Amino acid sequence: MKELEDFEETLHQILEKGGEDTAAQWMQDIEREYGRTPLIFQRMSERPEVLISHLLYKGAVTKTSSLDPKYVELISLAVGAALRCKHCTGYHMQAAMKKGASWEEILEVILLAGLISNSSVLANAYRIIDEKMSRCIPCANEGVDLPPCDDL
């Protein structure tokens, strides 16, 4: 299992270099690959154990993924957009383009993120309305023909 061997080798290198040197090296690697480092990584690097554990987890998820790295970044872009995080959206858009995503693919995942986000808002709100309307509001609400509830 190559991924496990690589992971164990990474752990060995962390132990040899130490946390601070490893965190500094990984920050330089991110800067070199993407042209900048996200603010969250900059803040995490103030506590190298936090940055290292985060990046180890991120690496374990992405490096063992059966998805093409471009699609991992496109999905990350969609999630960032759906969560309304302009920093995540911008970073993952840049990363997706570096991994070969086209402008059309970028726009498509943003449309899909908006579609699902909108559907999520509606589904949640309609469930809350249905729940409240069936239990307590009908008793005091004229114009809604529902039997009175007993749980007030």
Side-chain angles (χ1 to χ4, degrees), residues 1-10 63-64:
M1 196 136 108
K2 175 103 171 81
E3 290 86 11
L4 184 56
E5 290 172 10
D6 290 346
F7 180 75
E8 289 172 349
E9 177 59 29
T10 300
K63 289 177 183 173
T64 60

Side-chain angles (χ1 to χ4, degrees), residues 3 9 12 25 31 38 41 46 48 53 62 65 76 82 87 90 105-106 115-116 132 145 148:
E3 290 86 11
E9 177 59 29
H12 181 70
Q25 180 62 54
E31 176 85 27
F41 292 174
E46 294 170 10
S53 63
T62 58
S65 175
S76 299
H87 308 291
E105 289 171 317
I106 298 290
L115 173 68
I116 298 302
K132 296 295 181 190
D145 190 20

Side-chain angles (χ1 to χ4, degrees), residues 10-27 44-53 55-56:
T10 300
L11 292 178
H12 181 70
Q13 289 172 3
I14 293 167
L15 290 173
E16 280 185 353
K17 282 181 113 172
E20 287 188 23
D21 288 345
T22 298
Q25 180 62 54
W26 289 4
M27 291 289 285
M44 285 180 183
S45 72
E46 294 170 10
R47 294 192 45 206
E49 71 279 9
V50 173
L51 177 68
I52 290 168
S53 63
L55 292 176
L56 282 172

Side-chain angles (χ1 to χ4, degrees), residues 43-128:
R43 292 298 163 258
M44 285 180 183
S45 72
E46 294 170 10
R47 294 192 45 206
E49 71 279 9
V50 173
L51 177 68
I52 290 168
S53 63
H54 176 78
L55 292 176
L56 282 172
Y57 175 67
K58 179 180 182 273
V61 170
T62 58
K63 289 177 183 173
T64 60
S65 175
S66 61
L67 298 173
D68 182 281
K70 175 179 87 169
Y71 294 111
V72 170
E73 289 301 335
L74 286 169
I75 291 166
S76 299
L77 163 62
V79 171
L83 293 174
R84 297 180 180 183
C85 178
K86 71 178 188 175
H87 308 291
C88 295
T89 303
Y91 181 82
H92 290 291
M93 179 183 73
Q94 181 181 359
M97 292 177 85
K98 282 188 175 274
K99 295 196 183 307
S102 68
W103 185 242
E104 291 77 20
E105 289 171 317
I106 298 290
L107 294 177
E108 186 72 23
V109 299
I110 291 171
L111 284 172
L112 290 167
L115 173 68
I116 298 302
S117 294
N118 183 50
S119 296
S120 175
V121 167
L122 295 174
N124 184 56
Y126 288 146
R127 281 184 177 84
I128 291 170

Side-chain angles (χ1 to χ4, degrees), residues 23-35:
Q25 180 62 54
W26 289 4
M27 291 289 285
Q28 290 173 4
D29 293 346
I30 292 166
E31 176 85 27
R32 189 171 33 261
E33 184 174 354
Y34 295 102

